[in-house]
Amino acid sequence: MRPRDDDAAHPGAGALVRLFHVSKSYQAGSWALRDVSLELAKGEFAFLTGPSGAGKSTLMRLVFAAEQPSEGQILVLGRNVSRIRPSAIPALRRRVGVVFQDFKLLPRRTVEANVALALEVVGTPTRQVRSRVFTMLKRVGLQHRRYHHPLSLSGGEQQRLALARALVTEPEVLLADEPTGNLDPDLTLEIMDLIVDAAARGTAVFVATHDHALIERYGRRHLHLEDGRLVQDTPGRGHRP
Amino acid sequence: MRRVAASARTAVRTAWSGLRTSPVTSGVAVITIAVALLLVGAFALLVTNMERILDRFGEELRVSAYLAPGLAPEAQEALRARVADVPGVLSVALVTRDEALARFRESRVARAALLDGLEENPLPASLEVSLEPAERTREGLAALNDELADLPGIEELGYGHGWVEGYARALGVVRAAALALGLVLGLAALLIVANTIRLAVYARRDEIEILRLVGASRAFVAAPFVLEGLIQGLVGGLIALGLLALFHVALVPSLRGGMELLLGDVTPVFLAARGMLTLVLGGAALGALGSAAALVQGES
Ligand SMILES: Nc1ncnc2c1ncn2[C@@H]1O[C@H](COP(=O)(O)OP(=O)(O)O)[C@@H](O)[C@H]1O
Ligand SMILES: [Mg+2]
């Protein structure tokens, strides 16, 4: 069956992210993802685990249209990403916040300017940008660092900056690729609380992590990838929206 | 509308900080554009002056229509007015017999002795016809010939064919060479500039990638670069114009002596206002186009 955009009659129509038998191969003969199908609803929070090279980052890259699937279909916010026009990609990405594993911060801009970037690309008026950036930096505890440059920040601070940039637009989907990898336990919980909070406001969230204690602690849905295959999909404890 | 304004402000701010944070790359781009435009400008200056010299020659290119003897002064004047109305004719001057004689006496070839024996003025009156610049060709001359030959009162036409063809050919060669060389220089300048800016784009490819990842449109990414190129081109164009003026002022006195000897009173001129504007705006266009080309190339 061919998936249609905004098909209200289709089961799971409320899902913001839907993968149908998605496979991805970067090189002929090897598969980064194999036949993955899943759905993520508005306000739903899912952990994504798996050994290094299992395909976690690939799955996220497919969702924000940085890659095209080799097989299958992906619907994100009602758009079929597997045949999206290149000119439609920016509009999609503005509704999807991403915390990259390597942060992807602009080293020559200040902390404040890095967060502002996500708002500027949509043409948000300057005054509004300033106040929203300030509020966001306060939430991640970086307001005192706003005039610094990313490279003068610690790894944990850079990670929080990356999260601030991803959340400042109040995205409908949040993809966080190992967002607590460099944080000590206290900061990890603070950051996770921010992400959980975003889900509570309706954002659909994927968090890739190696930290099984987190999964235990938060008791959310848990997807486990191995060798590109989705081998386990454990529902959360009483958190299903 | 507010979004567009905000985006424009962001582009200007980003372009400005791009210029400020990479002064070396920007400087290289500015100097490259300045040097390229200096070459183009120097060449344009040369062509302008050559055309001027040729135009002076062209003005001296006249067709003489010798009038029938015994034509009354009123008839001569009527004929002058008639010829002045012929299409392609710039001006007509009447040279009476007395004037012709006076001129001859003044000329170097005249020997008083040659004329002393004559009782009567042997020279005919004539009309000196100059052609409009566009008509100073063999065809123009032939057309004039056709028009004048049948007019009653005109006995004979005199002009130097060789002169006209030489003039027309020289002008054609200069213009064709100017066009070809101008095109080559312009293209070379564009390539050099695009290459220089490509380095700047390459140096910032991470920034571009990140912008794209957070949802920036192509235009949003490109605008600051194109703006930067435009500003660099503008500055480069102004520098080229300044240097050109400097060279002109410094070199004209020494050139003038030699040219006067060869060509009479010809003072080298500088580019006209339009030429100067073209040079500076050309620089801006070069910078902007170079950036755009570099970006398009960088995407593939
Ligand atoms: N750009 C790429 N080109 C080629 N192979 C890639 C690329 N990105 C990822 N891979 C391969 O795809 C597989 C999945 O990688 P990835 O999605 O990064 O896994 P994870 O994030 O779970 O560690 C790995 O085998 C990796 O080597
Ligand atoms: Mg990864």
Side-chain angles (χ1 to χ4, degrees), chain B residues 48-85:
Chain B
T48 307
N49 280 292
M50 276 174 82
E51 282 205 340
R52 237 170 68 92
I53 290 166
L54 283 171
D55 272 350
R56 276 182 66 96
F57 282 145
E59 277 163 30
E60 278 162 23
L61 194 77
R62 293 200 180 95
V63 174
S64 293
Y66 298 103
L67 305 183
L71 211 58
E74 303 80 56
Q76 291 179 350
E77 180 50 39
L79 204 53
R80 193 200 65 76
R82 176 96 199 265
V83 171
D85 281 343

Side-chain angles (χ1 to χ4, degrees), chain A residues 183-209:
Chain A
L183 300 180
D184 58 46
D186 281 353
L187 273 177
T188 295
L189 292 186
E190 271 179 40
I191 288 299
M192 283 308 298
D193 286 346
L194 281 172
I195 297 177
V196 167
D197 183 45
R201 296 170 189 221
T203 302
V205 179
F206 275 119
V207 176
T209 185

Side-chain angles (χ1 to χ4, degrees), chain A residues 64 66 86 89-91 93-94 98 100 104-109 117-118 120-126 128 165, chain B residues 2-4 6-7 9-10 13-14 18 21-22 204 206-218 220:
Chain A
F64 68 92
I89 292 177
R93 287 189 181 157
R94 293 170 195 168
V98 185
F100 298 93
K104 297 209 185 293
L105 301 168
L106 293 176
R108 293 195 301 188
R109 297 200 196 193
L117 188 68
E120 281 167 356
V121 299
V122 255
T124 310
T126 314
Q128 210 180 319
R165 186 182 65 192
Chain B
R2 266 174 75 209
R3 310 227 136 201
V4 173
S7 295
R9 261 201 303 279
T10 305
R13 195 149 29 82
T14 311
T21 52
S22 51
R204 278 154 68 180
D206 291 346
E207 184 179 333
I208 293 175
E209 189 212 339
I210 292 169
L211 283 168
R212 301 286 290 168
L213 287 176
V214 300
S217 66
R218 280 175 72 150
F220 186 94

Side-chain angles (χ1 to χ4, degrees), chain A residues 104-136:
Chain A
K104 297 209 185 293
L105 301 168
L106 293 176
R108 293 195 301 188
R109 297 200 196 193
T110 60
V111 163
E112 188 178 60
N114 266 279
V115 179
L117 188 68
L119 293 170
E120 281 167 356
V121 299
V122 255
T124 310
T126 314
R127 188 173 312 176
Q128 210 180 319
V129 171
R130 291 186 70 88
S131 71
R132 283 173 72 177
V133 167
F134 186 78
T135 310
M136 194 65 233

Side-chain angles (χ1 to χ4, degrees), chain A residues 52-53 55-58 101 177-178 208 210:
Chain A
S52 185
K56 303 182 294 294
S57 298
T58 297
Q101 206 168 355
D177 203 346
E178 308 194 15
H210 287 296

Side-chain angles (χ1 to χ4, degrees), chain B residues 51 54-56 58-59 61 88-91 130-138 140 164 167-168 171 175:
Chain B
E51 282 205 340
L54 283 171
D55 272 350
R56 276 182 66 96
E59 277 163 30
L61 194 77
V89 168
L90 182 67
S91 64
S130 18
L131 288 168
E132 282 175 4
E135 299 295 322
R136 291 171 195 162
T137 60
R138 199 190 329 186
V164 173
Y167 167 76
L171 204 61
R175 290 205 174 126

